[in-house]
Each structure stands twice: as C-alpha cells, then as structure tokens.
Amino acid sequence: MFLDSEMSRIWKEYGLESKTRFNTPVTVVQRVDPSSLETDPDTDPWKNGHARWTINDGREGVFDAIIVTVGTCGAPKWVNFKGLPDGFVESKRAKTSHTGEAGITNDREKSSDSDEDSHSEKRTEIHGTDAEGEAFTGPILHSSELDSPEASQVQGKTVVIIGSGASGVEAAETALQRGAKQCVMIARDDKWIISRNMFIDVLIAMQPFGREMPLSFIWESFLQKWHYRGVEDLVPAHRGLFEGTPVVNDNFLSHVRSGACLYIRGDTRRLTSNGVLVNTRTRTSHPEDKGEEKVIPADVVVLATGFERPSTDFLPRDLFPEGYSQPDLYLQNFSTEDWSILLTNSSYINAIGTVGHFHIGIYTRILLVLLLDAGARPAPKDMKLWVDLVRYLKRGAKGGALTFFTYMELTIWLVLFHIVRPDRLPWLPFVLFGWGVLPKSAK
C-alpha cells in the first residue's frame, strides 16, 4: 500500500500522465542532423557538445539526452532441456509474447502457507536409473510463474527446481510458502548466499576494491561460520564472495537445515517421465565433472533459468566501439562516445550493494549537470581514459574490471568525478543530494 501511494504521489507531483507513452516499444534512437535544428547548437562531443536525439519516427520531438532504463531482466529464459513435452517451449513463448519474446538457450544456468510440520513428512528418495525415456508428465513452471494462479499446482507436491541463483532461491521459498511438501534444488554451480542483515551487508559492500582480494577470506570465513552454520557444504568451493552477485536471502538456508529443501549439486541431463536425471557431484567438483547419474523424483518441475537480458540494439552501434560496450562504459553507465546517452542499471552485470536507488538519482543528476554546465563535460577521450584506468587498476579481476563492483567502489567513482575536475565541485551538493538547483517553475 505504501508503494502504491508513493507512486501515485510522484505521478501527480511531477505531472507524469501527460509525459508518459504506454504501449510504445522503442525501436530506434537516432541522432538529429544539426542542419535541421532551428538553433545552431554544438552537437560534437569532441567540442564540448552533445548530440540531439529522436525516438522512433521523431513525432515526440527532439531530446537533449536519453536515459535507458531497460534493466537486466526481460522475458523468461526457457532452456531447451531434453524431456520437455513437444511444443512446450513454443507455447510458453507465445504466452509471454505480450511482455517480449522469450528466448531459448542451451546454457543450463546463467535468477496458504504450510506449517513446519508438513515439511517433516516423507522426504524425497533418490535412486540411480537409466532414464532416456518419455517426456516429463507433470506440471512445468518457470520460476516467474510461481506468483500466478498456476502455482497452486505445487501444493502438497515435491517440487524440483533447476537452477540455484536468485531465481532458484526465491522459487524454493515461494513454493514452500504455497504449500509444497518439499523442494529439491539442482545446483549446477554454487552461489554465495548472504543475510538481509543491513549492518553486515553494509560492511561487505564497503570493500573498496571491487574484486576478490587476499583478505577476502575473512568475510568468507565469517559467513561460513555464521550464515552457513550447519550447511557448510553449500559454501562455494571455487567462487569468491567478490566475484559475483550474491543471493540475499534469510530463509533458504534454514529450509535446507530443516530438510524442507534438499540441495543437490549436479548437472541436469534431461527430464524423465517422473523426474529429472542429474549428474550429481561433490562440493569440490566443477560443472560437467564426472559424477553419479541419478533420477530425482518430481511432481512439479520449476525452471529457475533466469531471464533474457533486454536488448539495447535500438541505440546507434557507434556509441559502443570495440572495447567500450556494456559494461565497459564511462562511470559504468555513460557511452564513451557521447555522455548524453545514460544506461542506468542497463549495463550492470554483477555487484554487491545495500541500496539500489541512491545511485540512480546520482547518475541522473550528473547527466543534468553535464547538460547545464558545458565546462563540466568530459570528452570521449577522457571517458575512454577512465575506462582504461579502471581496467588497469583491476587487471586480472575475474570476468573483467567492470563486470563486478561494490557500492563503495561506485561511491569512489562518483566522488572522484568531482575531485579530478575541481570545476565540478560546486555541483557536488546537487549531484549527491539534489540541493541547490530548482526547476524554473519552482523559482
């Protein structure tokens, strides 16, 4: 209710109704030919200017800047496992086409309440079987469907969840809340799971280096002894805490401790008529290492296989030259070729942070500063230099310099944005807190 009322307040306060276009897919963003503009603005980023833009057919007019907020999660990702019923993927794609076409990939993983006594009933028995047979005959859901009426099919059932990322963890929690007898998670790779304890999360996010460091074992050991107590076998053996986005959840490990959720490390081979064939492995193994093949019985299968990453192909390709495409952007969000293109949370891959909204306002206000103050604008060579410097400082970081960052590292970027250019310092209160600049209507 609070969220609804706050959205309504903002909607009315900023007059968004007349400024919003629903059911309007963006197909192309184009630069405006300077000769077609009524005035003669400088549109060359190399000369302290910036391009002007139109969207789709240009009917809405000319824009000074574009903020891309498509995020990182689009349509559900449907993995084409063997053993899916004929036409299953196609029908699911058709069903979700109103929110964007769901993709098919062969990558295995890339995201009334029952009481505790109901979880102590008969547990799943695992047995070895040669199961190159028929397609799975029970319900198959994507993790995103567990909030839909179809999720009632999990009540009193054994639910096998394929996937161990954030989607898998939330799927297990939701299925148990909806009355599943037991959940079985099939984890191809172990992920770090941290508590929602604000104090602990802030301290973890204060690591300033944005990568795994020699002393990172201190936090990893603390989490193993505190958060993973009793289920230490789930601690990742080959992944550092600062090498990927951890799953933030307070309840999943408790479900594993109680037996309500069974955690199986292994590779999904196929669905069978009554379960899932899995190559089960030990903690120290790697995906696809030799293990023992077993059939995991299932009444319901949930595919926690994540979501397709929304495309930004509507933007001009020359905004992202080789070596400077997402996530290797200026301040990780601005195109290095023209700062008037801001990809807020659309180039993000992995991070550890505590709050997801402060930086959104800060990045928007940086864009406004660059629009208002020509002297504060970076040239393309300066933006590329920033990316190159971060890559040099974080050379050797797993996955790349800007594929992972901490909130403290992000804070350092934003502070240095002002310090390295003292002429930007007067804008610091506005960028950080929104102080000192008012729209014309409020003056």
Side-chain angles (χ1 to χ4, degrees), residues 122-124 157-159 176 180-184 259-262:
K122 183 179 179 180
R123 300 300 181 194
T124 301
K157 305 296 185 181
T158 296
V159 179
L176 291 170
K181 180 174 68 175
Q182 185 184 29
C183 287
V184 181
C261 182
L262 184 62

Side-chain angles (χ1 to χ4, degrees), residues 92-113:
K92 288 294 185 179
R93 290 181 63 182
K95 184 176 180 180
T96 57
S97 62
H98 65 283
T99 58
E101 183 172 297
I104 304 176
T105 178
N106 287 321
D107 294 330
R108 296 231 167 102
E109 291 179 23
K110 224 346 237 185
S111 284
S112 98
D113 294 342

